[in-house]
Amino acid sequence: MENYEYAVFFEAENLSDAELRQMEKYFKIKRRSGGGECKINKVGDTTYMTSFMEKEAQERVLERKDHVIKTEGQEEIHVLLRCENVAESSKQSKESPNQKCASAKSVEKVFKLDHYLLRFLSECKKPHSDLEKHLSMISSTFKINIDSEELVVVRDPGAEDVYPLKKWEFAVDEAFETLKSRYIIHFEVESDKSAILEENSFLQSDNLKIYFEELTCLAVVVGEQREVEKILKFLSGLQNKQQVQKECCVSEKQFSLIKEEFEPYIKSNLPALKITQERAGVLLKGPEKEVHAGENELLKLAKGIKEKRIPSHHPLMTFLESSGGIQHFQNRFQQSLRSPVMLETSGSDVLLLSLSDGALEEAAAAVQRDLCLETVRLDNTQKSSAFTKLKEDLSEAVKQANHKSVKVELKYQDESTSDPKVQLVGYTPEVSMLKNIVLVYKRNHQIHHASLPLPSPEMAEHFSEILAIGGMKKSSVEIKPTSSPSPCVHLTGPRCEVESLKDSLESCLQRLATKRCEVKGPGVQQFFQSEGARILQLVKNSYMVGILPIDDKQKRGKEPKYMSSLNLQSSPFTSAASQDSLDSDKEIDIKVVVGSLEQQQADVFVAPMIQTNMTSTLIGSSLLNKAGQQLQNNFNNAKGKHKLKPGDVLEVDATPALGCSMVFFVECVPKGNKHKSKKALRSGLCRVFELCKQNCWESVALPVIGPGIVLSIPIKDSVNILTHEICKFLSGPTGCLDTICITIMANYAHSEELFQTVCGNLSAKMVDNTGEALFQSLTSDLDEIIMPVDGIELHLVFGDITNETTDAIVNTTDFKDFQTAGVCKNILTKAGPQIQAQLTGARAASGQIFTTPPGGFPCKTIMHVCGERNPDVIKTLAKEIVVQCEHGCYRSVAIPAICAGQGGLDPNMVAKSILEGVKEGVQGAHLQHLKNIRIILLKINVFLAFKATSKQIFGGSTQLTAPAPLVLTSVTTRGRSATSIRHSGSTRLSRSHSLPLPVALDLSSLVTSLPDTESTAAFLIIGHTNNDVSDACRDLQQAYKDQCSTHTFFPDEIESLTQEEMDQLLSKVNSLHLQIEQNSSEGWVVKGQRNGVNEVVRLIQDALRRQVREKDQTFLFSQVTWCILGPRGIWQKVPKDVNYKLEKRDVKDGIEDAQGVKWTVDLQKMEATSCDSGQVTALKRLENPSDLSLPIYWDNMSQSDLLKVIVLDPSSTEYKTVKMDFKKTVRKTVLKIERIQNMNLRRLYEARKKELENRNGLIVGAGEKILYHGTSEASCSSIMKSNFNRNFAGQNATVYGHGTYFAVNASYSADPTYAVPAADGTQLMFVARVLTGYYAKGQGDMRTPPERVAPDLYDSVVDDTQNPSMFVVFHDCQAYPDYLITFK
């Protein structure tokens, strides 16, 4: 550096080596910077010195001071130079005037310009002419002297006056400033870019020239500024395309070893090559040749690096990386080794790198010596109480070792297993220190086991008490007493503690006194397990003793008697009646669901079959399709070689595909013999329910068997058989059964009739003739749905709109056809001809409503609409109905399913349109008047469609709140034989609040079956002295005696008990562990604990009082019957205890009906209000004559009221029932229905009914049917007063005999021949109860039925015995006129 004496200085921040090389090139090029040969060195934090070999170069660069240098990344570095040794005067000396006088006549001005700019002006015509033009405008010319690097401007001598000197000089300076700003000079110092310019000489033009200096490999670009910039941009892009990069797989540590040798080589030989250290290796970037050369040199140097792998473990690798161990060793190697050594981790190995073999071996020895991994097994010593202290000691030791830097790490492994360990990793001294701590702990706390024998098993079972008596202190040793195979106590813990505790226990047991104590008597063990337990504790505390119960094997053999006595089901003395009464407390729920049997979920499915063929019915085939072939296999296995008789039941295991565990197949009789078919069906269903009870099934699902094409049993008969068998089963014990599910197919032709009949029959039988509830609840899928919508209630109702009594009724019509049978005709007939006249010729625009007065219809207005079979129109109408009801101040409206019936639209589409229309009309309207919208749906499938759609539209607000308005269907049938006859002698033991009558009992035999309650309670008493132990034994025996008592019962008290009460008495004796025995005076003595004896006494006294009250209630129930109107509109008897309360007006606490619903009662209004829902319903009271129980659906009658004719309310269930059956075959409109209450006629009818039932037996019985009889207005009054008179036979026909004729179908009796029209066109028809019994084919000359079995006659005759449509009776009391229908 001694040749580089002339220095300049500049400030810069953190220049890279590449940037310094670029700046050095810049200052070496005279044409570019004014400098020359130089060197750049850093002399301070941000100060750099550029030293030149020549003073002139120093002065030239200082003339410009501010230099702008472009790096290869096209970033600009601004350098401001300074030099302390260059005087300001010398600077100014260089700034000599550039003007002189050439002569007195002309003036010159000399400009020092760059050599290459002068060449450019000389060689290029356009720049030359442009300069001439500018100078000529100020009367000047110019001369270029390239050698002296000067341009001389000369003023024309004659222009002195025009351009004085100062003005001329200013103009010349301005022209040259413009010249300098327009044309620029770029010095390209990079050899690769210079080469590109030289190869592309075509880039030159009239406005741009490129010059080359061969010695310096310099290229100079001169021209207009935008042209130069364009060339430079092109040059950079072309250069980038020609550059390449290469990544060499040399790690950072490897590169550090060879960097000192590699970088000088690059600097001197490959200056254009850039080097970057990446994570994956070294990245070389530059011209392709230099990159390849650099790569070869780098890899050659890397091959000289030597490696040494030290196999290690993952924990050591983790420690090195987390603790800074790699840097620790790196620093040590740098200080202590002559040749550099690099250390890094490679998988589970330590990798050492160096250029020296000796240094490598020395470093490897240091790593292996200084690092250590130890794993110490704890051998279960972690269970010691001192293990926590070990952890604390180790934690403190680790903390001290790692005070300044991380020297060791500790980890507990597999603590929860049988082989726990401590892992130590780190530097060898620290690991050894921690290992010694663990080993010392292990020696002191190794687990040790020892055993100590005990004198008795009781001491093992209650060893904790013995420890407390002996005053033993708590220890960390685990104490585990055991009585099998021999009594002893096991000690587990640290050896020293175990041995010490064993010695203490042996000494303690030797000091204690023990004694066996026995207390004998009935229930003594139970005494000390209950209230005697307090006495045991008092004795323990008083004498400071331990009292241990002894479980002798001999005594333990008697213990099952006490245990079994707690389970009445298994007690040897519990009677069947008592068991039944317990079973029958289970509440039964009956569900009527719409759907197929195979879709249900129950323990048992019931299906019919013919000739033991599973697929002989549609139900069996459907089950097979759902269950698969496995069901057929199970069926065949169950059938085996057995031949089933009609009424038998085949039990078949179900398959997982079915929602049941078992399928019961009932063997039925095919159509052709109805008596046999019904008998088989009765027997089969009876057997089904018995099997459910015997096998403890909780739920059963079954269809209404019979109405299909295979059996062809009439609907009413099928339903009556099913409901009769259900009620008969529920009258007795029901076992575990709590749910009966009756399925009805929605798409069956008579689904609606099936549903109404099933629910009607069951509703009527909810309370039996004794006043007891047969089942808890009756629910269905068609229960009325109530949805609150913006302050109003929207009801979905399964029913007939002509039965509604809302303020407004909606009638759907096409305004053309008013005669076709249907809802429209029925509404108009009821409204009257004047309303129909208003509709004739009327027109309503699409989506509009035509309103008329109600006429004879029980409402305030009728809204007539036409849905046009268009969902959009229906939606508009539904909304408009809401609007008009609000404007008309109507509080309620009934709407049918518009166009879902005769209109033929899809019910789901109709439901969506109507519900959305109602929603739009209601929401946000803040209705003040309209509060109740009822959508009345006549068909099951339509109701289900509305139900499903309502959930989609109204979501969670949908609530199932009320049972469907079912019709009342009595136990009798309409046109088919009745079967709902209960055994007169049956007695309910289930769900009863009352007791049966006393029966003769043999108490002696019952007492002998009781288990022996004489027992012994044995104790082992342990204390400090023999006196304490003996006194404690004496006190225990006295305490038991003080709690015992006796009571004597005399024969008359016992004999008045019923069987159920006797069962309860014996159950108490057994459960309370009392003794009962007969004394010498034939009395019965009960012995045992005082509380138990008193409880038995109270039981007998309560039973006597209940029996008296029961007799009073039973007697009153036969005289007076109180009824409550059920949720389905059907009158139900209240239980007889409630009947008694109502009659005695004891209702201050309310009443509870047969379904368990609680009501408050207002006897003045004869109303009851539900305590839960607030629903109000009606009450009524019936006074029964001594020889007749008034039908429950009658109004009350006094003894003087022989005849009452009651006009039925059209909204009542009773009215709807009669009307529905009538409308099945008659298309005419019902105007009025009256109930005939004739007490004398009913008394005679019931007597005849009982006579036939007794004579014909259960299968046929009285054969009560609901039939029809058309009449005239003249005959009507006589029939109501004196019944049908067979003496008038022959007025219309005597084809089948001289008797009274009744039709199965109302359509036959509606013929004007029989129902003679009155002057106003109205007709009359009686709905009669007829006792048909056994019947035969009638003949015209018959005056009595033919002989059946001598001397008995048939009870009636028919037109066709296989399918009768007409019945004829010859006994006046064999028919009763129940209702009178007025229709038109």
Side-chain angles (χ1 to χ4, degrees):
M1 290 292 291
E2 56 273 7
N3 295 327
Y4 297 87
E5 300 177 357
Y6 306 98
V8 296
F9 299 88
F10 64 89
E11 303 291 328
E13 293 283 345
N14 299 327
L15 292 176
S16 66
D17 292 343
E19 290 172 335
L20 287 174
R21 288 198 300 269
Q22 192 77 8
M23 295 181 70
E24 194 173 280
K25 274 187 180 182
Y26 171 79
F27 284 114
K28 283 181 178 180
I29 301 171
K30 177 182 177 184
R31 302 295 183 190
R32 193 172 181 189
S33 62
E37 185 63 32
C38 63
K39 295 285 185 181
I40 298 179
N41 293 290
K42 188 174 184 180
V43 296
D45 291 339
T46 59
T47 303
Y48 292 85
M49 178 179 70
T50 305
S51 303
F52 294 95
M53 293 183 69
E54 297 178 355
K55 182 174 177 59
E56 290 78 4
Q58 178 199 43
E59 291 175 346
R60 284 196 300 271
V61 297
L62 284 172
E63 284 181 358
R64 293 174 58 180
K65 272 195 176 182
D66 188 8
H67 294 260
V68 179
I69 305 167
K70 283 188 177 181
T71 65
E72 289 186 4
Q74 296 301 312
E75 294 182 0
E76 293 185 349
I77 301 177
H78 292 263
V79 178
L80 183 63
L81 299 177
R82 68 177 186 274
C83 179
E84 302 294 338
N85 299 323
V86 179
E88 186 68 24
S89 59
S90 82
K91 177 183 176 184
Q92 292 182 0
S93 67
K94 291 298 178 180
E95 295 178 356
S96 58
N98 60 353
Q99 67 179 58
K100 57 183 178 179
C101 283
S103 67
K105 294 182 179 180
S106 61
V107 177
E108 295 181 351
K109 188 173 179 67
V110 180
F111 290 91
K112 296 290 281 186
L113 296 179
D114 187 274
H115 170 80
Y116 291 106
L117 180 58
L118 293 174
R119 287 182 61 182
F120 174 75
L121 291 174
S122 300
E123 296 173 1
C124 295
K125 293 181 179 180
K126 190 175 184 301
H128 191 277
S129 62
D130 286 345
L131 184 58
E132 282 184 340
K133 183 177 179 181
H134 279 86
L135 293 177
S136 65
M137 293 173 66
I138 56 175
S139 301
S140 303
T141 59
F142 69 92
K143 296 183 289 185
I144 295 175
N145 190 340
I146 294 176
D147 294 333
S148 61
E149 298 183 353
E150 291 179 346
L151 187 148
V152 180
V153 180
V154 181
R155 185 180 68 179
D156 186 7
E160 182 178 357
D161 295 335
V162 180
Y163 286 101
L165 182 59
K166 288 186 178 180
K167 181 180 179 181
W168 176 79
E169 287 181 343
F170 179 79
V172 171
D173 289 340
E174 189 177 41
F176 272 85
E177 286 298 325
T178 302
L179 177 71
K180 291 179 181 180
S181 63
R182 183 173 181 182
Y183 301 105
I184 63 172
I185 306 171
H186 172 74
F187 296 90
E188 185 53 63
V189 298
E190 295 185 21
S191 58
D192 54 339
K193 289 186 179 180
S194 297
I196 293 172
L197 290 172
E198 192 170 1
E199 292 172 359
N200 296 275
S201 58
F202 65 88
L203 296 173
Q204 300 186 67
S205 65
D206 290 342
N207 295 322
L208 186 137
K209 287 291 183 180
I210 303 174
Y211 305 98
F212 301 95
E213 291 187 4
E214 295 181 359
L215 296 177
T216 61
C217 297
L218 178 70
V220 182
V221 182
V222 186
E224 289 186 356
Q225 183 172 349
R226 61 184 181 83
E227 292 294 332
V228 173
E229 291 174 352
K230 183 177 178 181
I231 288 296
L232 295 179
K233 185 176 181 182
F234 168 78
L235 191 63
S236 297
L238 195 60
Q239 183 191 33
N240 289 336
K241 291 181 181 179
Q242 294 177 348
Q243 283 195 339
V244 296
Q245 63 182 27
K246 178 72 175 182
E247 188 175 18
C248 300
C249 295
V250 177
S251 68
E252 183 179 359
K253 298 292 179 69
Q254 290 175 320
F255 188 69
S256 299
L257 291 172
I258 60 177
K259 184 176 181 180
E260 291 185 6
E261 188 174 349
F262 182 64
E263 285 188 343
Y265 170 81
I266 295 299
K267 188 172 184 180
S268 59
N269 298 295
L270 307 172
L273 188 65
K274 292 183 178 179
I275 305 170
T276 307
Q277 180 68 52
E278 302 285 346
R279 178 173 295 182
V282 176
L283 183 66
L284 304 178
K285 184 176 181 181
E288 186 175 1
K289 291 181 180 180
E290 292 195 10
V291 168
H292 287 313
E295 179 187 14
N296 293 334
E297 181 64 21
L298 183 62
L299 294 178
K300 183 179 75 173
L301 294 174
K303 286 181 180 179
I305 299 175
K306 297 174 176 56
E307 295 183 358
K308 186 174 182 63
R309 286 183 177 271
I310 303 175
S312 186
H313 300 279
H314 178 71
L316 274 173
M317 297 296 98
T318 304
F319 172 77
L320 280 174
E321 293 173 353
S322 63
S323 66
I326 294 176
Q327 189 60 45
H328 167 77
F329 280 107
Q330 205 72 66
N331 294 338
R332 282 182 54 188
F333 296 160
Q334 188 175 357
Q335 295 172 3
S336 61
L337 300 179
R338 293 186 299 275
S339 180
V341 176
M342 294 294 169
L343 182 147
E344 61 183 30
T345 59
S346 176
S348 60
D349 297 341
V350 176
L351 182 62
L352 299 176
L353 307 172
S354 179
L355 296 174
S356 168
D357 289 332
L360 207 58
E361 292 298 329
E362 192 174 345
V367 170
Q368 291 173 318
R369 180 182 64 250
D370 293 352
L371 286 179
C372 181
L373 171 66
E374 291 280 357
T375 301
V376 184
R377 297 181 181 275
L378 292 177
D379 298 329
N380 282 325
T381 56
Q382 86 282 8
K383 296 181 180 179
S384 170
S385 59
F387 185 59
T388 302
K389 181 65 168 59
L390 170 66
K391 284 188 172 183
E392 294 174 356
D393 293 345
L394 289 175
S395 176
E396 182 62 29
V398 170
K399 184 177 178 181
Q400 292 295 331
N402 296 338
H403 177 63
K404 293 184 178 180
S405 61
V406 179
K407 297 293 184 67
V408 66
E409 291 180 353
L410 177 146
K411 183 179 180 182
Y412 297 95
Q413 296 179 332
D414 305 326
E415 280 192 82
S416 60
T417 67
S418 59
D419 187 24
K421 310 174 191 67
V422 176
Q423 184 186 83
L424 306 171
V425 58
Y427 297 107
T428 302
E430 286 74 17
V431 169
S432 298
M433 175 191 69
L434 294 180
K435 182 179 178 181
N436 289 334
I437 295 175
V438 177
L439 293 176
V440 170
Y441 164 80
K442 281 183 62 176
R443 285 192 295 272
N444 292 335
H445 298 89
Q446 194 76 35
I447 298 300
H448 177 65
H449 302 279
S451 297
L452 175 67
L454 297 175
S456 66
E458 290 73 26
M459 297 183 74
E461 294 172 5
H462 302 273
F463 195 70
S464 59
E465 293 186 39
I466 296 175
L467 292 177
I469 295 172
M472 299 297 297
K473 295 181 179 180
K474 290 184 178 180
S475 170
S476 62
V477 175
E478 180 186 4
I479 302 174
K480 187 176 181 181
T482 179
S483 56
S484 177
S486 59
C488 65
V489 59
H490 299 284
L491 307 176
T492 303
R495 179 180 295 274
C496 56
E497 295 185 33
V498 167
E499 296 296 339
S500 173
L501 180 60
K502 183 178 179 181
D503 293 340
S504 300
L505 287 175
E506 287 177 338
S507 174
C508 174
L509 293 175
Q510 290 174 359
R511 291 196 308 269
L512 294 177
T514 62
K515 181 178 181 180
R516 178 187 177 91
C517 175
E518 292 185 355
V519 183
K520 297 183 179 181
V524 64
Q525 290 190 3
Q526 287 68 32
F527 167 72
F528 284 112
Q529 291 170 3
S530 54
E531 60 264 31
R534 183 180 60 84
I535 296 174
L536 286 175
Q537 191 60 46
L538 288 174
V539 173
K540 286 182 183 181
N541 296 338
S542 298
Y543 297 102
M544 300 298 291
V545 297
I547 303 177
L548 314 181
I550 298 176
D551 189 13
D552 286 336
K553 291 184 179 180
Q554 295 177 353
K555 296 296 182 181
R556 197 179 302 134
K558 289 188 177 181
E559 189 63 24
K561 293 184 179 179
Y562 291 104
M563 298 304 293
S564 65
S565 68
L566 299 177
N567 184 353
L568 294 181
Q569 191 171 359
S570 59
S571 294
F573 67 90
T574 302
S575 69
S578 176
Q579 182 60 47
D580 291 343
S581 67
L582 292 171
D583 287 343
S584 63
D585 288 338
K586 182 182 285 291
E587 298 176 344
I588 305 295
D589 296 320
I590 300 180
K591 301 177 182 178
V592 183
V593 301
V594 179
S596 61
L597 179 64
E598 65 269 17
Q599 296 173 336
Q600 308 310 314
Q601 295 286 332
D603 290 339
V604 175
F605 285 177
V606 180
M609 65 177 176
I610 302 294
Q611 298 177 350
T612 322
N613 180 2
M614 182 172 64
T615 59
S616 57
T617 65
L618 291 176
I619 297 174
S621 298
S622 299
L623 290 175
L624 181 60
N625 291 336
K626 177 76 179 290
Q629 184 59 35
Q630 184 60 45
L631 182 64
Q632 183 69 64
N633 297 338
N634 295 348
F635 181 91
N636 295 337
N637 293 335
K639 179 177 66 173
K641 296 182 180 180
H642 300 293
K643 186 174 182 180
L644 274 67
K645 301 186 300 294
D648 287 347
V649 176
L650 185 66
E651 301 175 68
V652 178
D653 290 329
T655 66
L658 292 177
C660 65
S661 300
M662 189 73 67
V663 182
F664 289 173
F665 287 95
V666 180
E667 181 68 25
C668 298
V669 176
K671 61 182 177 180
N673 191 323
K674 293 183 180 177
H675 289 309
K676 289 185 178 180
S677 295
K678 296 174 186 176
K679 182 179 179 181
L681 183 56
R682 285 181 188 279
S683 300
L685 291 176
C686 180
R687 180 61 179 158
V688 162
F689 291 118
E690 283 302 317
L691 288 172
C692 287
K693 182 178 75 170
Q694 292 173 13
N695 296 296
C696 293
W697 296 118
E698 295 183 356
S699 57
V700 59
L702 69 168
V704 179
I705 300 173
I709 59 175
V710 177
L711 303 183
S712 294
I713 302 176
I715 290 175
K716 290 297 179 69
D717 290 358
S718 301
V719 172
N720 284 336
I721 291 172
L722 173 63
T723 55
H724 171 70
E725 292 303 324
I726 289 175
C727 293
K728 185 176 74 172
F729 172 70
L730 297 181
S731 297
T734 58
C736 299
L737 192 67
D738 59 16
T739 302
I740 299 175
C741 177
I742 302 172
T743 63
I744 294 175
M745 292 292 291
N747 55 357
Y748 179 56
H750 303 287
S751 298
E752 289 76 17
E753 181 182 359
L754 269 176
F755 174 81
Q756 299 282 14
T757 309
V758 168
C759 292
N761 276 14
L762 291 173
S763 295
K765 297 180 179 182
M766 188 169 285
V767 177
D768 65 10
N769 290 332
T770 67
E772 306 300 336
L774 289 179
F775 48 91
Q776 174 67 17
S777 66
L778 174 62
T779 59
S780 80
D781 287 347
L782 303 184
D783 286 350
E784 182 175 333
I785 295 171
I786 304 176
M787 295 165 284
V789 182
D790 269 19
I792 66 105
E793 284 186 354
L794 176 62
H795 296 241
L796 300 184
V797 182
F798 175 61
D800 185 348
I801 197 170
T802 60
N803 296 327
E804 291 296 309
T805 57
T806 52
D807 289 352
I809 292 289
V810 177
N811 175 37
T812 175
T813 178
D814 60 0
F815 295 99
K816 297 176 184 179
D817 181 8
F818 307 116
Q819 300 306 316
T820 301
V823 174
C824 178
K825 181 183 179 184
N826 290 340
I827 290 177
L828 295 181
T829 302
K830 206 166 185 177
Q834 68 277 18
I835 304 302
Q836 182 173 329
Q838 292 185 40
L839 283 185
T840 304
R843 293 290 182 269
S846 179
Q848 297 299 311
I849 301 173
F850 186 83
T851 305
T852 66
F857 204 99
C859 64
K860 294 180 180 180
T861 187
I862 302 178
M863 299 179 176
H864 307 273
V865 300
C866 179
E868 303 177 17
R869 294 173 48 81
N870 186 322
D872 293 333
V873 173
I874 295 172
K875 180 177 178 180
T876 302
L877 286 171
K879 181 178 180 181
E880 187 62 22
I881 288 168
V882 175
V883 173
Q884 289 205 21
C885 285
E886 178 67 13
H887 289 168
C889 300
Y890 300 125
R891 296 190 62 80
S892 58
V893 60
I895 306 172
I898 302 170
C899 293
Q902 293 180 350
L905 279 184
D906 177 27
N908 294 289
M909 187 182 301
V910 174
K912 186 174 185 293
S913 298
I914 292 180
L915 293 175
E916 286 183 349
V918 169
K919 184 177 181 181
E920 290 183 8
V922 169
Q923 285 190 339
H926 305 293
L927 302 178
Q928 300 298 315
H929 303 285
L930 184 61
K931 297 299 179 184
N932 195 320
I933 300 175
R934 295 172 62 82
I935 300 178
I936 313 301
L937 309 164
L938 190 59
K939 293 293 183 180
I940 289 178
N941 64 323
V942 178
F943 181 89
L944 295 178
F946 271 78
K947 183 177 179 180
T949 306
S950 69
K951 291 181 180 179
Q952 298 172 4
I953 294 177
F954 298 102
S957 64
T958 300
Q959 297 180 358
L960 194 69
T961 59
L966 299 174
V967 297
L968 171 64
T969 304
S970 64
V971 296
T972 60
T973 64
R974 204 175 303 275
R976 300 291 182 261
S977 62
T979 56
S980 297
I981 309 300
R982 177 171 298 144
H983 288 291
S984 59
S986 64
T987 303
R988 282 188 72 248
L989 295 174
S990 59
R991 274 171 289 322
S992 177
H993 300 288
S994 59
L995 295 172
L997 296 176
V999 295
L1001 299 175
D1002 183 4
L1003 187 59
S1004 299
S1005 61
L1006 292 175
V1007 169
T1008 56
S1009 67
L1010 287 171
D1012 183 13
T1013 56
E1014 181 73 18
S1015 61
T1016 300
F1019 303 95
L1020 179 65
I1021 302 179
I1022 303 174
H1024 294 285
T1025 67
N1026 290 326
N1027 289 338
D1028 290 342
V1029 170
S1030 298
D1031 291 345
C1033 181
R1034 183 191 66 246
D1035 286 0
L1036 290 180
Q1037 292 172 335
Q1038 187 62 42
Y1040 171 71
K1041 291 180 181 178
D1042 292 343
Q1043 293 296 323
C1044 291
S1045 68
T1046 62
H1047 188 88
T1048 302
F1049 298 101
F1050 295 99
D1052 57 342
E1053 294 179 283
I1054 300 296
E1055 290 170 359
S1056 65
L1057 299 181
T1058 65
Q1059 177 67 60
E1060 185 176 355
E1061 290 167 340
M1062 179 58 71
D1063 290 338
Q1064 293 178 8
L1065 170 63
L1066 298 180
S1067 174
K1068 286 287 185 183
V1069 169
N1070 182 50
S1071 63
L1072 297 175
H1073 307 284
L1074 305 176
Q1075 267 188 338
I1076 184 169
E1077 57 188 14
Q1078 195 170 15
N1079 60 16
S1080 57
S1081 61
E1082 297 187 356
W1084 292 92
V1085 180
V1086 178
K1087 300 178 180 179
Q1089 295 178 53
R1090 183 182 298 109
N1091 292 339
V1093 173
N1094 292 340
E1095 193 168 338
V1096 170
V1097 173
R1098 284 195 299 271
L1099 186 149
I1100 293 179
Q1101 293 173 349
D1102 290 345
L1104 293 174
R1105 284 193 293 268
R1106 283 199 307 271
Q1107 188 174 3
V1108 173
R1109 185 171 62 252
E1110 175 71 14
K1111 290 179 179 178
D1112 292 343
Q1113 291 176 358
T1114 302
F1115 175 77
L1116 180 63
F1117 193 75
S1118 66
Q1119 302 296 311
V1120 177
T1121 303
W1122 281 82
C1123 306
I1124 187 169
L1125 190 62
R1128 301 178 188 278
I1130 298 174
W1131 287 103
Q1132 299 171 356
K1133 296 178 183 179
V1134 298
K1136 61 183 178 184
D1137 56 335
V1138 177
N1139 191 79
Y1140 187 85
K1141 291 180 65 176
L1142 287 168
E1143 186 64 19
K1144 299 299 182 182
R1145 307 183 73 83
D1146 180 18
V1147 293
K1148 61 181 181 299
D1149 297 328
I1151 63 172
E1152 184 174 320
D1153 66 14
Q1155 293 178 284
V1157 179
K1158 294 183 178 180
W1159 305 82
T1160 59
V1161 174
D1162 186 337
L1163 290 177
Q1164 289 184 345
K1165 295 182 180 180
M1166 292 296 282
E1167 290 180 350
T1169 304
S1170 171
C1171 297
D1172 294 330
S1173 65
Q1175 174 191 352
V1176 179
T1177 191
L1179 296 171
K1180 74 175 177 182
R1181 177 179 178 274
L1182 300 177
E1183 292 185 19
N1184 299 318
S1186 59
D1187 57 349
L1188 176 67
S1189 293
L1190 297 184
I1192 193 172
Y1193 59 92
W1194 277 22
D1195 289 0
N1196 193 35
M1197 297 181 70
S1198 66
Q1199 295 293 334
S1200 60
D1201 292 333
L1202 299 180
L1203 174 65
K1204 265 188 178 183
V1205 180
I1206 310 297
V1207 179
L1208 299 186
D1209 182 355
S1211 64
S1212 69
T1213 300
E1214 186 179 6
Y1215 180 96
K1216 295 173 185 177
T1217 301
V1218 179
K1219 176 183 172 182
M1220 182 195 73
D1221 287 343
F1222 174 82
K1223 295 286 287 182
K1224 287 175 187 174
T1225 59
V1226 180
R1227 299 298 185 184
K1228 299 182 180 182
T1229 301
V1230 175
L1231 301 179
K1232 181 173 62 173
I1233 301 177
E1234 299 166 283
R1235 185 197 317 122
I1236 293 90
Q1237 297 186 185
N1238 189 318
M1239 195 178 297
N1240 288 335
L1241 295 185
R1242 191 63 181 237
R1243 184 182 290 111
L1244 295 173
Y1245 174 82
E1246 293 294 340
R1248 178 64 174 170
K1249 180 179 177 181
K1250 187 173 183 180
E1251 177 188 347
L1252 293 182
E1253 286 176 346
N1254 293 336
R1255 188 179 71 192
N1256 295 340
L1258 177 63
I1259 300 301
V1260 176
E1264 185 179 58
K1265 302 181 186 301
I1266 302 298
L1267 303 175
Y1268 297 95
H1269 183 89
T1271 188
S1272 64
E1273 190 173 1
S1275 304
C1276 179
S1277 177
S1278 174
I1279 293 174
M1280 287 192 291
K1281 292 179 180 178
S1282 57
N1283 212 341
F1284 303 101
N1285 192 338
R1286 67 182 185 280
N1287 292 327
F1288 293 104
Q1291 285 186 348
N1292 293 318
T1294 57
V1295 178
Y1296 305 109
H1298 292 265
T1300 306
Y1301 283 66
F1302 296 92
V1304 172
N1305 296 321
S1307 58
Y1308 186 91
S1309 299
D1311 188 283
T1313 304
Y1314 312 113
V1316 180
D1320 60 355
T1322 58
Q1323 296 175 266
L1324 299 173
M1325 183 187 302
F1326 280 105
V1327 181
R1329 293 176 180 268
V1330 182
L1331 304 175
T1332 63
Y1334 282 105
Y1335 50 80
K1337 178 70 177 289
Q1339 295 179 7
D1341 58 349
M1342 287 183 177
R1343 293 190 177 276
T1344 61
E1347 187 176 62
R1348 183 173 67 87
V1349 178
D1352 293 334
L1353 304 179
Y1354 281 95
D1355 302 309
S1356 62
V1357 298
V1358 296
D1359 57 343
D1360 181 356
T1361 56
Q1362 293 302 315
N1363 189 23
S1365 62
M1366 183 71 65
F1367 285 84
V1368 183
V1369 295
F1370 300 89
H1371 195 293
D1372 291 343
C1373 297
Q1374 214 163 305
Y1376 177 80
D1378 215 10
Y1379 297 98
L1380 178 64
I1381 302 176
T1382 303
F1383 61 97
K1384 185 177 181 180

